Amino acid sequence: MEENGNVVPQEVKGWNWGAFMYNWIWGIANKTYLPLLVLIPIFNIVWIFIIGFKGNEWAWQKGDYKDVETFKAVQKTWNVAGIITFILSIAGILLYFFFIAAIIAGLANSSYSSYSY
């Protein structure tokens, strides 16, 4: 694919955690504005995956990088931040469900123990 004369090298293609997790912020920072479509409700559920998959290509086409190494160095920061945010998000969701289950179990146990037979 070629846009503005920028052929996307094979080394650039691939998943970008930064684009996936920071979608619209990443898009503005990389001068590619398709990620702003993530602001459309419901559509955004699918669109974040497209951004994660195609983000590197869009950023390469819109950026003026000297070489692939420079591009990868810039995107590495986004990728690390994206992976850390993803892991923390999953951990937060799991903790949330764990605490809800613990509260429900505690309430169920306290209601059973208040009955005397």
Side-chain angles (χ1 to χ4, degrees):
M1 184 173 186
E2 188 175 329
E3 182 180 311
N4 300 334
N6 289 337
V7 177
V8 178
Q10 198 62 33
E11 304 97 321
V12 166
K13 295 179 181 180
W15 186 258
N16 187 319
W17 282 103
F20 178 72
M21 292 302 295
Y22 294 105
N23 37 66
W24 67 271
I25 298 167
W26 176 92
I28 291 171
N30 285 280
K31 298 179 211 144
T32 177
Y33 302 105
L34 282 173
L36 290 175
L37 293 174
V38 79
L39 300 173
I40 301 171
I42 310 289
F43 177 71
N44 59 6
I45 296 168
V46 174
W47 194 242
I48 61 171
F49 291 97
I50 294 170
I51 296 167
F53 185 70
K54 300 293 280 181
N56 280 344
E57 296 175 41
W58 296 340
W60 176 267
Q61 291 168 343
K62 296 291 184 177
D64 53 346
Y65 297 98
K66 293 180 284 186
D67 53 27
V68 173
E69 289 75 29
T70 305
F71 176 82
K72 285 189 169 191
V74 170
Q75 294 305 317
K76 182 179 181 183
T77 305
W78 284 100
N79 273 312
V80 169
I83 289 171
I84 290 170
T85 304
F86 181 77
I87 291 169
L88 290 174
S89 298
I90 295 300
I93 290 168
L94 291 174
L95 281 172
Y96 173 79
F97 284 115
F98 173 76
F99 286 126
I100 294 298
I103 290 169
I104 292 171
L107 290 173
N109 286 339
S110 68
S111 66
Y112 284 124
S113 64
S114 65
Y115 291 113
S116 58
Y117 294 101

